[in-house]
Structure formats: structure tokens, C-alpha cells
Amino acid sequence: MHLHGTSAINNRGHLEIGGCDTTQLAADYGTPLYVFDEQLIRTRCREFRDAFLATGLQFQVAYASKAFCVKAMCRIVEEEGLSLDVVSDGELYTALQAGFPPQRIHFHGNNKTPQEIEMGLDANIGCFVVDNFMELHLLNELARERKMKASILLRITPGVEAHTHEFISTGQTDSKFGFDMENGSAFRAVQESLKLEQLRLLGVHSHIGSQIFEVDGFEIAADKVSRFAAQVRDELDYTFTVINLGGGFGIRYMEGDTPLPAARYIGAIADAVKNNFSARSYPLPEIWIEPGRSIVGEAGTTLYTVGSVKDIPGVRKYVAVDGGMTDNPRPALYGARYEAMLANRALDVEEEVVSIAGKCCESGDMLIWDLALPVVRTGDLLAVSSTGAYNYAMASHYNRIRKPAVIFVKDGAADVVVRRDTYEDVAGNDVIPERLRKQPEPIAKA
Ligand code: LLP
């Protein structure tokens, strides 16, 4: 397993993160346990900011909170000077509860409810990323009721889809998100926005994919967006001041994953923006981006305790842990692959190949297939790396399993940032209607 950030093997042969021995963390907080390397989160935030500072462009780096949205994370994002992208009332609520500055919040989503839009307006957030015509009019109306002007970006689909190493330049974009550029709907959205008095159009937004290892997709998106901006200026006499190029910067899950440093992505984006906009004599817009996975993904490690081991000679050895698809649905959902190690015997040599099973009542609940480990014993502590993004965020209560605690570790100290669920968190919202209440037993006659 690759050791990210402050992860290291200590002289007791244990994995430690943020100066904390993981066997001690497991003893103190129980397993499964999400452990976040706070220093690594901060480093990633700074890498994006520093990369932009070096370009001389005006910018905002908005952390895409969908990757991992808890109050303590919002605090770190604010402290590191980033903005925040939210996609629901729940994420917005979390950010506001954490005291995140509303003006640095951007609200996304392809189907924001009236109540969500009102919540954003009432909080006076910095920007709505408007996805469709219905939202455009709804936002205008709700802003009018409040005598407010809402700043917006229009989400457009520029016809670039990037996947890890390849990108596909599609003529027509088949997507539930945004206004299509090719079929003219993006242009109509600009025309419409300019007519709506309660809206202040800042510019456009495009997001081309996730877990991207190359810069080409971003360069093509910058080119297409600048072309669109020039068309709008030429035909509607309107100049965008902000271009948002979304998130999607890759991380390392497995050997062979080759993410680029933040400076490479940002350098390429800045060059593409400068070249394309200057070539069209267009004033350089502010550039916004929205990294999620690349801020938190590698900073997260999940600790599990090994329980049952089922050896089927000649076939496979199943090693079951005390979590699974409830705390990490990505292997079951996307076939995602992860690396892992025995955190309590980190120096032992690998002697067997096993498969790590979750504890859910479902054959598909497998966390890792074919993992080389020392001979595994019940009670061992398994650490799975790069679980910071879209793990806790996508955790469920399937099988009524309680969600694990989340802790931040730094400089030898650990802090709980999400408490482990209680049984009440699992069953406490259940209501037994009167007619189904258990009747008291009739008193038996003597
Ligand atoms: N901005 C927008 C508009 C997005 O849709 C996304 C991700 C991001 C930013 C952040 O992308 P990131 O930098 O994290 O790649 N659940 C999936 C990932 C879904 C990503 C959805 N949108 C997974 O577990 O891989």
C-alpha cells in the first residue's frame, strides 16, 4: 500500500498517520474508523491555491463538498482560503452551521427545489450555478420576492467528456446536466438570463468528468468555453467575468494511477485560458475550479478489524471485515479498486493472496479482490488507503449497520469530527403507528 501524506510505519511495525499509531486509534475509537490526515488535506488545498497564485490570474478554488462534507472539513476549507461548492440543502446547512462565509459558497444541482433556492438566497450565498431554464425563472422570481439580485453562472455542457486517460469530444452531449452548447440551448440561456432583472450573470461553468490524469480535456474545454464567450460578446455585447472549469483532478488509488501535481493541471488550465481568451481579444476572466476528490481522497484511510476467514482450498480465501459497502460503496458501485495493508503487522512479509469481504448480506459486498497480505488472522487491523472522497459521503445504513466515526489526526493528536452512529441514529426516526403498537398482554385468569 502506498503511504500518503504523513502515513508511516513506526518502530513497532504499526501504520501511523498524523503521528498517531493506528492500533491505538482502533483501540480508542473502535472500527471501522475513517481516519483523515489533516495535514495532507491542508497541503492539497495550498497546492491548488499556490498553483493559481503563480499564474497571476484572478481565481477561486471551491472545494466540492460532495466528496466529504462535515462541519470540521468546512472549517479547514475556510481556514485554507478556499470557497465551497454545495449541491443540496444538507450540504449548505452543514456549511452554514460550520460558520462558512456564505459569499464563498456556490450552489450546484440539476434539480434544486424552491426550498433549496430560498435557503441559498436567504443565506446570501455567493453564486448559483444554474442548470436549466426552469431554475433560471424560479431563481429570478424568488430573488424578486426578496428584492435581491442573485449572481449566477450557467452550467454548460461543452461536449468534452474526460475519463482518466482518454477524453471523448462528443458532438452532442447526452447528459442530465446543464445547457447544451452545440444545440444552441446554452446561447439561449444567456439571452434569457440577460433579460431577467434579478439575476447577475457572471459567466459559465463546465465540468468534464472525474478522476482525470491528463490536461487535454481541460484545455479543450477552455478553448470551447472561450469560443462561446466570444460568440456571446460578439452577438449579445455581453462579457463574462468568470469561467468555472469544474473539478475532476485524479488521485492515486492503486499502483499505476498517475495523477499530476496540482501545479500541472492549473498551469495547463491557466495557459489555455490565457491563450484562448487573448487570441479573441477578450479580457481575462476570473478562473474558478472545483476539486473534490483531489483535496480529500488520499487523506482518508479506513481501519477495519478482521473477523471471519473462510478458506476454500484451491479457490479463494475470503477475509471478512467489520464494515464494507455501507462505509465504502465504490467497489460495489463502480468496480473501484483499493490498496490495503495490515496496519498492526506492517513489516510482515506478504505470504498469501486473499479477498476482502464486507459484512453486508450481499455477495457483491466485496471491498478488494486478490490482495497480497501476510497470513491474516482474526483480530488483525486492515487499513484501506485513499478512502477520503465519496466514502463517508456515500455511506448508508444498509442492513441497519451504524456508520463509523470519522477522526482527524495531526501532530500526534486525534479529534473526533463525526461520532459513530448510535442505534438511535439507525432506528430513532422509525414510527410505529398506533394501530401497530404492541398491545399489553391480557392478564391471565387464575
Ligand atoms: N464539480 C462538479 C460540477 C461535479 O459534478 C463534481 C463531481 C465535482 C466538481 C468534483 O469532482 P472531483 O474533483 O471530486 O472529481 N461518486 C463518484 C464521483 C462523482 C463525482 C460527481 N461530480 C465516485 O465515487 O467516484
Side-chain angles (χ1 to χ4, degrees), residues 80-125:
E80 293 300 331
L82 270 53
S83 300
L84 195 76
D85 140 14
V86 300
V87 294
S88 74
D89 48 359
E91 288 181 354
L92 178 56
Y93 176 82
T94 305
L96 295 174
Q97 286 287 307
F100 198 88
Q103 276 299 309
R104 274 160 50 192
I105 298 179
H106 310 159
F107 204 156
H108 267 279
N110 67 310
N111 188 25
K112 300 180 191 77
T113 64
Q115 181 260 335
E116 286 178 315
I117 294 179
E118 289 178 333
M119 192 171 165
L121 285 170
D122 292 340
N124 201 18
I125 61 165

Short mmCIF file of all heavy atoms in Angstrom, two decimals, residues 80-125:
data_model
loop_
_atom_site.label_atom_id
_atom_site.label_comp_id
_atom_site.label_asym_id
_atom_site.label_seq_id
_atom_site.Cartn_x
_atom_site.Cartn_y
_atom_site.Cartn_z
N GLU A 80 -8.15 27.50 5.00
CA GLU A 80 -7.18 27.45 3.91
C GLU A 80 -7.52 28.42 2.78
O GLU A 80 -6.89 28.41 1.73
CB GLU A 80 -7.05 26.01 3.38
CG GLU A 80 -6.43 25.05 4.40
CD GLU A 80 -5.03 25.45 4.84
OE1 GLU A 80 -4.29 26.09 4.06
OE2 GLU A 80 -4.66 25.12 5.99
N GLY A 81 -8.58 29.20 2.97
CA GLY A 81 -8.89 30.26 1.99
C GLY A 81 -9.60 29.79 0.75
O GLY A 81 -9.64 30.51 -0.26
N LEU A 82 -10.18 28.58 0.79
CA LEU A 82 -10.90 28.10 -0.37
C LEU A 82 -12.36 28.50 -0.29
O LEU A 82 -12.87 28.87 0.77
CB LEU A 82 -10.80 26.56 -0.46
CG LEU A 82 -9.61 25.98 -1.25
CD1 LEU A 82 -8.30 26.54 -0.77
CD2 LEU A 82 -9.60 24.46 -1.18
N SER A 83 -13.05 28.38 -1.42
CA SER A 83 -14.51 28.52 -1.46
C SER A 83 -15.11 27.13 -1.35
O SER A 83 -14.38 26.14 -1.20
CB SER A 83 -14.94 29.19 -2.77
OG SER A 83 -14.34 30.47 -2.86
N LEU A 84 -16.44 27.06 -1.41
CA LEU A 84 -17.09 25.77 -1.18
C LEU A 84 -18.22 25.58 -2.17
O LEU A 84 -19.04 26.48 -2.36
CB LEU A 84 -17.65 25.75 0.24
CG LEU A 84 -18.05 24.39 0.80
CD1 LEU A 84 -16.81 23.60 1.21
CD2 LEU A 84 -18.96 24.56 2.01
N ASP A 85 -18.25 24.39 -2.78
CA ASP A 85 -19.35 24.08 -3.69
C ASP A 85 -20.29 23.11 -2.99
O ASP A 85 -19.86 22.12 -2.42
CB ASP A 85 -18.70 23.57 -5.00
CG ASP A 85 -19.37 22.41 -5.70
OD1 ASP A 85 -20.51 22.05 -5.40
OD2 ASP A 85 -18.71 21.85 -6.61
N VAL A 86 -21.58 23.45 -2.97
CA VAL A 86 -22.58 22.56 -2.36
C VAL A 86 -23.61 22.18 -3.42
O VAL A 86 -23.80 22.91 -4.39
CB VAL A 86 -23.30 23.23 -1.16
CG1 VAL A 86 -22.32 23.61 -0.06
CG2 VAL A 86 -24.11 24.45 -1.59
N VAL A 87 -24.26 21.05 -3.22
CA VAL A 87 -25.25 20.60 -4.21
C VAL A 87 -26.60 20.25 -3.59
O VAL A 87 -27.44 19.67 -4.26
CB VAL A 87 -24.76 19.36 -4.99
CG1 VAL A 87 -23.56 19.68 -5.85
CG2 VAL A 87 -24.45 18.20 -4.08
N SER A 88 -26.77 20.57 -2.32
CA SER A 88 -28.06 20.25 -1.70
C SER A 88 -28.25 21.13 -0.48
O SER A 88 -27.29 21.75 0.02
CB SER A 88 -28.11 18.79 -1.26
OG SER A 88 -27.31 18.63 -0.10
N ASP A 89 -29.49 21.13 0.02
CA ASP A 89 -29.76 21.89 1.24
C ASP A 89 -28.95 21.32 2.41
O ASP A 89 -28.52 22.06 3.29
CB ASP A 89 -31.26 21.92 1.55
CG ASP A 89 -31.92 20.56 1.45
OD1 ASP A 89 -31.24 19.56 1.13
OD2 ASP A 89 -33.15 20.49 1.71
N GLY A 90 -28.74 20.01 2.41
CA GLY A 90 -28.00 19.38 3.50
C GLY A 90 -26.54 19.84 3.53
O GLY A 90 -25.99 20.13 4.60
N GLU A 91 -25.92 19.91 2.35
CA GLU A 91 -24.53 20.41 2.32
C GLU A 91 -24.49 21.89 2.68
O GLU A 91 -23.59 22.33 3.40
CB GLU A 91 -23.92 20.16 0.93
CG GLU A 91 -23.60 18.68 0.67
CD GLU A 91 -22.98 18.41 -0.69
OE1 GLU A 91 -22.86 19.33 -1.54
OE2 GLU A 91 -22.60 17.25 -0.95
N LEU A 92 -25.46 22.65 2.18
CA LEU A 92 -25.50 24.08 2.51
C LEU A 92 -25.69 24.27 4.01
O LEU A 92 -25.00 25.09 4.64
CB LEU A 92 -26.63 24.76 1.72
CG LEU A 92 -26.84 26.25 1.99
CD1 LEU A 92 -25.57 27.06 1.75
CD2 LEU A 92 -27.98 26.81 1.13
N TYR A 93 -26.60 23.49 4.58
CA TYR A 93 -26.85 23.57 6.02
C TYR A 93 -25.56 23.29 6.80
O TYR A 93 -25.20 24.01 7.73
CB TYR A 93 -27.94 22.57 6.39
CG TYR A 93 -28.23 22.49 7.87
CD1 TYR A 93 -29.07 23.42 8.49
CD2 TYR A 93 -27.64 21.50 8.66
CE1 TYR A 93 -29.33 23.35 9.85
CE2 TYR A 93 -27.90 21.43 10.03
CZ TYR A 93 -28.74 22.36 10.61
OH TYR A 93 -28.97 22.29 11.96
N THR A 94 -24.87 22.24 6.40
CA THR A 94 -23.62 21.86 7.08
C THR A 94 -22.62 23.01 7.05
O THR A 94 -22.02 23.36 8.07
CB THR A 94 -23.01 20.61 6.41
OG1 THR A 94 -23.99 19.57 6.38
CG2 THR A 94 -21.77 20.11 7.15
N ALA A 95 -22.47 23.60 5.86
CA ALA A 95 -21.51 24.70 5.70
C ALA A 95 -21.90 25.90 6.57
O ALA A 95 -21.05 26.49 7.25
CB ALA A 95 -21.43 25.12 4.23
N LEU A 96 -23.18 26.25 6.55
CA LEU A 96 -23.63 27.42 7.32
C LEU A 96 -23.48 27.16 8.81
O LEU A 96 -23.07 28.04 9.57
CB LEU A 96 -25.08 27.77 6.97
CG LEU A 96 -25.31 28.22 5.52
CD1 LEU A 96 -26.81 28.40 5.25
CD2 LEU A 96 -24.55 29.51 5.21
N GLN A 97 -23.80 25.94 9.24
CA GLN A 97 -23.64 25.58 10.65
C GLN A 97 -22.18 25.68 11.08
O GLN A 97 -21.88 25.95 12.23
CB GLN A 97 -24.13 24.14 10.89
CG GLN A 97 -25.64 23.99 10.88
CD GLN A 97 -26.26 24.58 12.12
OE1 GLN A 97 -25.88 24.25 13.22
NE2 GLN A 97 -27.20 25.50 11.93
N ALA A 98 -21.28 25.41 10.13
CA ALA A 98 -19.85 25.49 10.45
C ALA A 98 -19.36 26.94 10.40
O ALA A 98 -18.18 27.21 10.62
CB ALA A 98 -19.06 24.63 9.48
N GLY A 99 -20.25 27.86 10.07
CA GLY A 99 -19.87 29.27 10.01
C GLY A 99 -19.11 29.62 8.74
O GLY A 99 -18.40 30.62 8.69
N PHE A 100 -19.28 28.80 7.70
CA PHE A 100 -18.56 29.09 6.45
C PHE A 100 -19.11 30.38 5.83
O PHE A 100 -20.32 30.58 5.77
CB PHE A 100 -18.72 27.93 5.46
CG PHE A 100 -17.68 27.97 4.36
CD1 PHE A 100 -16.46 27.36 4.55
CD2 PHE A 100 -17.93 28.65 3.19
CE1 PHE A 100 -15.48 27.42 3.55
CE2 PHE A 100 -16.96 28.73 2.20
CZ PHE A 100 -15.74 28.11 2.38
N PRO A 101 -18.23 31.27 5.36
CA PRO A 101 -18.71 32.56 4.81
C PRO A 101 -19.63 32.32 3.60
O PRO A 101 -19.17 31.78 2.58
CB PRO A 101 -17.43 33.28 4.38
CG PRO A 101 -16.29 32.49 4.88
CD PRO A 101 -16.76 31.15 5.31
N PRO A 102 -20.90 32.73 3.67
CA PRO A 102 -21.85 32.45 2.59
C PRO A 102 -21.40 32.96 1.23
O PRO A 102 -21.65 32.34 0.21
CB PRO A 102 -23.13 33.16 3.05
CG PRO A 102 -22.97 33.38 4.50
CD PRO A 102 -21.52 33.44 4.79
N GLN A 103 -20.72 34.10 1.23
CA GLN A 103 -20.31 34.68 -0.05
C GLN A 103 -19.33 33.78 -0.81
O GLN A 103 -19.14 33.94 -2.00
CB GLN A 103 -19.69 36.07 0.17
CG GLN A 103 -20.73 37.17 0.26
CD GLN A 103 -21.57 37.29 -1.02
OE1 GLN A 103 -21.02 37.38 -2.11
NE2 GLN A 103 -22.89 37.26 -0.88
N ARG A 104 -18.72 32.85 -0.09
CA ARG A 104 -17.77 31.94 -0.76
C ARG A 104 -18.42 30.59 -1.07
O ARG A 104 -17.73 29.62 -1.37
CB ARG A 104 -16.52 31.75 0.11
CG ARG A 104 -15.50 32.88 -0.16
CD ARG A 104 -14.48 33.08 0.93
NE ARG A 104 -13.80 31.90 1.39
CZ ARG A 104 -13.05 31.87 2.49
NH1 ARG A 104 -12.91 32.97 3.23
NH2 ARG A 104 -12.46 30.75 2.86
N ILE A 105 -19.76 30.53 -0.98
CA ILE A 105 -20.47 29.27 -1.29
C ILE A 105 -21.10 29.35 -2.68
O ILE A 105 -21.74 30.34 -3.02
CB ILE A 105 -21.56 28.99 -0.23
CG1 ILE A 105 -20.92 28.81 1.16
CG2 ILE A 105 -22.36 27.75 -0.62
CD1 ILE A 105 -21.91 28.57 2.29
N HIS A 106 -20.92 28.27 -3.46
CA HIS A 106 -21.52 28.16 -4.79
C HIS A 106 -22.51 27.00 -4.75
O HIS A 106 -22.15 25.91 -4.31
CB HIS A 106 -20.46 27.87 -5.86
CG HIS A 106 -19.27 28.78 -5.82
ND1 HIS A 106 -18.06 28.46 -6.37
CD2 HIS A 106 -19.11 30.02 -5.27
CE1 HIS A 106 -17.19 29.45 -6.19
NE2 HIS A 106 -17.80 30.41 -5.52
N PHE A 107 -23.71 27.23 -5.25
CA PHE A 107 -24.76 26.21 -5.16
C PHE A 107 -25.01 25.57 -6.51
O PHE A 107 -25.44 26.21 -7.45
CB PHE A 107 -26.05 26.87 -4.65
CG PHE A 107 -27.02 25.93 -3.97
CD1 PHE A 107 -27.94 26.42 -3.05
CD2 PHE A 107 -27.02 24.57 -4.24
CE1 PHE A 107 -28.85 25.58 -2.42
CE2 PHE A 107 -27.92 23.71 -3.62
CZ PHE A 107 -28.84 24.21 -2.71
N HIS A 108 -24.73 24.27 -6.59
CA HIS A 108 -24.90 23.46 -7.80
C HIS A 108 -26.16 22.63 -7.73
O HIS A 108 -26.76 22.50 -6.67
CB HIS A 108 -23.75 22.46 -7.88
CG HIS A 108 -22.61 22.94 -8.70
ND1 HIS A 108 -22.62 22.88 -10.06
CD2 HIS A 108 -21.43 23.48 -8.34
CE1 HIS A 108 -21.48 23.37 -10.51
NE2 HIS A 108 -20.74 23.75 -9.49
N GLY A 109 -26.44 21.92 -8.80
CA GLY A 109 -27.52 20.92 -8.77
C GLY A 109 -28.42 21.04 -9.97
O GLY A 109 -28.75 22.14 -10.39
N ASN A 110 -28.83 19.89 -10.51
CA ASN A 110 -29.66 19.90 -11.72
C ASN A 110 -31.15 19.96 -11.38
O ASN A 110 -31.97 20.04 -12.27
CB ASN A 110 -29.39 18.66 -12.57
CG ASN A 110 -29.85 17.39 -11.89
OD1 ASN A 110 -29.53 17.16 -10.73
ND2 ASN A 110 -30.61 16.58 -12.58
N ASN A 111 -31.50 19.90 -10.11
CA ASN A 111 -32.91 19.99 -9.75
C ASN A 111 -33.05 20.59 -8.36
O ASN A 111 -33.57 19.95 -7.44
CB ASN A 111 -33.55 18.60 -9.81
CG ASN A 111 -35.05 18.67 -9.64
OD1 ASN A 111 -35.66 19.71 -9.92
ND2 ASN A 111 -35.64 17.61 -9.16
N LYS A 112 -32.60 21.83 -8.23
CA LYS A 112 -32.72 22.50 -6.94
C LYS A 112 -34.21 22.74 -6.66
O LYS A 112 -34.93 23.22 -7.54
CB LYS A 112 -31.98 23.84 -6.97
CG LYS A 112 -30.49 23.73 -7.27
CD LYS A 112 -29.85 25.12 -7.29
CE LYS A 112 -28.43 25.10 -7.84
NZ LYS A 112 -28.37 25.00 -9.32
N THR A 113 -34.63 22.46 -5.47
CA THR A 113 -36.03 22.69 -5.13
C THR A 113 -36.22 24.17 -4.78
O THR A 113 -35.25 24.87 -4.43
CB THR A 113 -36.44 21.86 -3.91
OG1 THR A 113 -35.66 22.31 -2.79
CG2 THR A 113 -36.21 20.38 -4.13
N PRO A 114 -37.48 24.66 -4.84
CA PRO A 114 -37.72 26.04 -4.43
C PRO A 114 -37.17 26.30 -3.03
O PRO A 114 -36.58 27.34 -2.76
CB PRO A 114 -39.25 26.14 -4.46
CG PRO A 114 -39.68 25.12 -5.46
CD PRO A 114 -38.69 23.99 -5.35
N GLN A 115 -37.37 25.32 -2.16
CA GLN A 115 -36.91 25.49 -0.77
C GLN A 115 -35.38 25.62 -0.71
O GLN A 115 -34.85 26.41 0.07
CB GLN A 115 -37.43 24.29 0.05
CG GLN A 115 -37.09 24.30 1.51
CD GLN A 115 -35.90 23.39 1.82
OE1 GLN A 115 -35.63 22.44 1.07
NE2 GLN A 115 -35.20 23.68 2.90
N GLU A 116 -34.68 24.86 -1.55
CA GLU A 116 -33.21 24.97 -1.56
C GLU A 116 -32.77 26.34 -2.08
O GLU A 116 -31.83 26.95 -1.55
CB GLU A 116 -32.60 23.85 -2.43
CG GLU A 116 -32.67 22.48 -1.77
CD GLU A 116 -32.11 21.37 -2.64
OE1 GLU A 116 -32.44 21.32 -3.83
OE2 GLU A 116 -31.36 20.52 -2.12
N ILE A 117 -33.45 26.81 -3.12
CA ILE A 117 -33.08 28.12 -3.68
C ILE A 117 -33.34 29.22 -2.64
O ILE A 117 -32.51 30.12 -2.45
CB ILE A 117 -33.87 28.38 -4.99
CG1 ILE A 117 -33.41 27.36 -6.05
CG2 ILE A 117 -33.68 29.81 -5.47
CD1 ILE A 117 -34.12 27.48 -7.37
N GLU A 118 -34.48 29.10 -1.95
CA GLU A 118 -34.79 30.10 -0.92
C GLU A 118 -33.74 30.08 0.18
O GLU A 118 -33.31 31.13 0.67
CB GLU A 118 -36.17 29.81 -0.32
CG GLU A 118 -37.29 30.13 -1.31
CD GLU A 118 -38.68 29.81 -0.77
OE1 GLU A 118 -38.79 28.91 0.09
OE2 GLU A 118 -39.63 30.46 -1.23
N MET A 119 -33.32 28.89 0.54
CA MET A 119 -32.31 28.76 1.60
C MET A 119 -31.01 29.46 1.16
O MET A 119 -30.37 30.17 1.94
CB MET A 119 -32.07 27.27 1.85
CG MET A 119 -31.29 26.93 3.08
SD MET A 119 -31.40 25.11 3.28
CE MET A 119 -30.08 24.89 4.44
N GLY A 120 -30.64 29.27 -0.09
CA GLY A 120 -29.43 29.91 -0.62
C GLY A 120 -29.56 31.42 -0.66
O GLY A 120 -28.64 32.15 -0.29
N LEU A 121 -30.73 31.88 -1.12
CA LEU A 121 -30.95 33.34 -1.19
C LEU A 121 -30.94 33.93 0.22
O LEU A 121 -30.30 34.96 0.47
CB LEU A 121 -32.28 33.63 -1.87
CG LEU A 121 -32.32 33.45 -3.39
CD1 LEU A 121 -33.76 33.53 -3.90
CD2 LEU A 121 -31.44 34.47 -4.10
N ASP A 122 -31.66 33.28 1.12
CA ASP A 122 -31.75 33.83 2.48
C ASP A 122 -30.39 33.86 3.17
O ASP A 122 -30.14 34.70 4.02
CB ASP A 122 -32.79 33.04 3.30
CG ASP A 122 -34.20 33.29 2.78
OD1 ASP A 122 -34.40 34.32 2.09
OD2 ASP A 122 -35.10 32.46 3.02
N ALA A 123 -29.52 32.93 2.80
CA ALA A 123 -28.18 32.93 3.38
C ALA A 123 -27.26 33.91 2.65
O ALA A 123 -26.13 34.14 3.08
CB ALA A 123 -27.59 31.53 3.34
N ASN A 124 -27.75 34.44 1.51
CA ASN A 124 -26.95 35.37 0.71
C ASN A 124 -25.65 34.73 0.21
O ASN A 124 -24.57 35.30 0.35
CB ASN A 124 -26.67 36.64 1.52
CG ASN A 124 -26.32 37.81 0.62
OD1 ASN A 124 -26.61 37.79 -0.57
ND2 ASN A 124 -25.67 38.81 1.19
N ILE A 125 -25.79 33.55 -0.39
CA ILE A 125 -24.60 32.86 -0.88
C ILE A 125 -24.02 33.58 -2.09
O ILE A 125 -24.69 34.40 -2.73
CB ILE A 125 -24.90 31.38 -1.26
CG1 ILE A 125 -25.94 31.30 -2.38
CG2 ILE A 125 -25.33 30.59 -0.03
CD1 ILE A 125 -26.01 29.93 -3.03
#
